[in-house]
Amino acid sequence: MKKIVLGISGGIAAYKSAELVRALVKRGDDVRVVMTKNAAEFITPLTMQTLSRNPVHTETFPHPSDYSLNHIALAEFAELLVIAPATANVIAKLANGIADDLLTTVALATEAPILLCPAMNDKMLAKPIVQENITKLVNRGIIVMDTAFGELACKSYGSGRMAEIEDIIERISAIFTPQDLQGTVVLVSAGPTREAIDPVRFISNHSTGKMGFAVAKAAQQRGARVILVSGPTNTQAPRGVTLVPVSSALEMRLAILEHFPSATIVVKSAAVADYRPQAIAKNKIKKNEGTLNIVLERNPDILAELGAQKGQRILIGFAMETEDLLINAQKKLLEKNLDIIVANSLCEDGAGFAVDTNIAKIITAKGTIEELPLMSKFDLAHIILDQAVRIRSLQQTC
Ligand code: CTP
């Protein structure tokens, strides 16, 4: 739970701040809303009070005077000050140290990080003075989110829409996440592979890439440069991650080997097909009476190949099993020369393909086994990375 002061200034995007408050409260944050007079023209303080479950602050000198409503108390309460939307006017005031209302006074008084989410007409945003003010604030350590492109309230199209709430929440999480992977390159593989039979058919599996994409997102939040080699999926690649799309196991191998030399931590969560058709038919195979036999040949085991040349890298594999989970996972850990294997059973509810949760056991080469309860794949990703960071710091002290 974080203590967040949400400042709302007077732009049409103020109505979206209601959703932002809801999302923060849902995360478990303690949210105090500060609104400018103009913001209260767009959305009522009562709405924000109801959603934040706290009184809303609009006056620098409220009556009757109450210390808990004072601008200094709010500035000290904040672990983060988010200003969404931030109008050109508020941006200009902050850039010049003007504190002429409660919001700008709290901004000037707080020592907490400040996240600005600008929102304005595209032509206003493009004005050199607005850009100069934003640059000035960025240079002083204020975090400024990019605006989104799209239809603006004034009916024109352009850049100036406030960032999506989901993206703002993601940035807030990143601000509170320790940057313990800064300076590292994390190479992640995800998704299924597709092994072509003919121009229209392939062999694949049910992997959706959710686990690998969660690892990529978590690593990126912790400051790593992330390269995500993924088979075909419908999962959205996290912002800021370098996505390398591949299709077959052979393509995945080539992409992984290309990026392996620069990687510090490698997480292989892809469900790689162990076999591929020996020959890919040039034309569509037409049906005939009787059965059709397709001869399959082995695909290379990419992870085993990496294990044989891992050097100081931390190598993490996954084992998805339907029987003898621990024994099979430990065997893979040893045979593929891994530091960590994440074992998950396909037979448990809430684990496996296409769900956002997982139930896993994290087994290390040192012999430790951490049995985890049902949790989101994103939370599991962070726990896996915690282990990787621990192993890396042990390596560095040895
Ligand atoms: N893996 C790989 N290349 C392959 C097969 C698997 O890199 N050709 C990796 C997976 O990404 C995963 C780990 O090896 O991290 C274990 O994969 P899994 O499919 O559970 O096991 P296999 O080693 O293929 O063994 P089996 O299919 O016999 O269970």
Side-chain angles (χ1 to χ4, degrees):
M1 184 191 79
K2 299 293 175 192
K3 294 176 183 160
I4 295 178
V5 173
L6 172 64
I8 306 175
S9 59
I12 182 62
Y15 81 92
K16 292 188 186 168
S17 304
E19 274 305 318
L20 181 55
V21 175
R22 265 169 64 105
L24 291 169
V25 170
K26 199 166 157 209
R27 260 171 44 111
D29 295 327
D30 184 356
V31 185
R32 306 299 160 104
V33 176
V34 173
M35 295 175 78
T36 64
K37 281 208 167 56
N38 284 343
E41 299 284 334
F42 286 98
I43 187 159
T44 70
L46 181 62
T47 303
M48 306 315 279
Q49 178 179 313
T50 310
L51 293 173
S52 68
R53 301 168 197 169
N54 279 310
V56 168
H57 310 280
T58 52
E59 304 287 336
T60 314
F61 304 108
H63 298 290
S65 179
D66 174 351
Y67 181 74
S68 68
L69 302 183
N70 163 307
H71 59 276
I72 298 297
L74 280 167
E76 284 174 354
F77 164 86
E79 290 176 274
L80 175 69
L81 169 62
V82 182
I83 304 183
T87 58
N89 185 44
V90 160
I91 290 170
K93 285 193 212 171
L94 297 186
N96 290 286
I98 295 171
D100 64 352
D101 62 6
L102 181 61
L103 175 55
T104 47
T105 311
V106 171
L108 198 60
T110 193
E111 290 188 323
I114 300 177
L115 173 67
L116 292 189
C117 307
M120 66 195 77
N121 166 273
D122 55 334
K123 291 179 189 68
M124 286 169 81
L125 182 66
K127 280 278 154 73
I129 185 66
V130 175
Q131 288 302 315
E132 270 169 38
N133 286 334
I134 290 176
T135 306
K136 213 164 158 184
L137 292 169
V138 170
N139 290 341
R140 295 221 181 98
I142 288 180
I143 309 154
V144 181
M145 289 216 55
D146 287 341
T147 51
F149 190 90
E151 190 179 3
L152 300 161
C154 46
K155 292 256 180 254
S156 63
Y157 269 89
S159 183
R161 284 165 64 97
M162 187 165 85
E164 296 302 328
I165 301 303
E166 221 175 87
D167 295 332
I168 299 174
I169 291 288
E170 212 166 275
R171 183 64 75 91
I172 291 171
S173 303
I175 290 170
F176 289 116
T177 306
Q179 297 298 290
D180 53 3
L181 289 177
Q182 197 118 47
T184 64
V185 176
V186 176
L187 175 60
V188 183
S189 80
T193 64
R194 281 184 185 171
E195 311 302 326
I197 296 171
D198 69 7
V200 280
R201 302 163 179 115
F202 53 79
I203 298 172
S204 192
N205 56 62
H206 294 296
S207 171
T208 56
K210 282 178 186 271
M211 189 64 236
F213 279 56
V215 172
K217 185 168 156 184
Q220 203 258 345
Q221 268 198 358
R222 294 166 82 140
R225 187 160 84 74
V226 181
I227 302 162
L228 174 60
V229 176
S230 176
T233 76
N234 289 324
T235 310
Q236 176 90 27
R239 209 176 290 249
V241 159
T242 306
L243 178 69
V244 183
V246 295
S247 186
S248 66
L250 291 180
E251 282 174 30
M252 182 171 277
R253 174 180 172 274
L254 282 183
I256 293 279
L257 289 180
E258 183 189 334
H259 294 286
F260 187 63
S262 64
T264 326
I265 297 172
V266 181
V267 186
K268 277 226 76 232
S269 56
V272 185
D274 286 324
Y275 293 91
R276 65 176 182 275
Q278 198 168 49
I280 303 173
K282 204 162 139 267
N283 295 311
K284 184 183 172 199
I285 299 171
K286 303 302 275 181
K287 65 176 171 295
N288 277 314
E289 294 306 318
T291 57
L292 170 71
N293 293 322
I294 298 171
V295 179
L296 302 178
E297 66 183 359
R298 273 291 301 270
N299 267 328
D301 188 319
I302 309 168
L303 190 54
E305 201 172 335
L306 302 182
Q309 49 177 310
K310 79 170 175 163
Q312 287 300 298
R313 295 175 194 84
I314 291 161
L315 207 49
I316 304 170
F318 278 74
M320 188 177 267
E321 308 289 345
T322 52
E323 56 191 350
D324 299 329
L325 177 65
L326 269 183
I327 297 170
N328 281 328
Q330 276 161 328
K331 196 163 158 257
K332 287 175 191 174
L333 174 94
L334 211 66
E335 285 175 358
K336 304 192 191 202
N337 193 24
L338 309 179
D339 297 282
I340 297 170
I341 192 147
V342 183
N344 45 195
S345 163
L346 254 184
C347 307
E348 284 180 275
D349 279 349
F353 296 123
V355 288
D356 290 317
T357 54
N358 209 343
I359 304 169
K361 300 185 195 339
I362 300 184
I363 309 166
T364 66
K366 295 254 178 285
T368 63
I369 301 174
E370 189 178 0
E371 299 208 13
L372 298 165
L374 177 77
M375 63 177 65
S376 73
K377 287 185 172 166
F378 187 62
D379 287 345
L380 175 60
H382 271 297
I383 295 177
I384 296 165
L385 293 172
D386 288 344
Q387 273 284 5
V389 167
R390 226 168 283 146
I391 295 173
R392 199 164 70 103
S393 61
L394 277 175
Q395 267 181 1
Q396 283 165 347
T397 51
C398 284

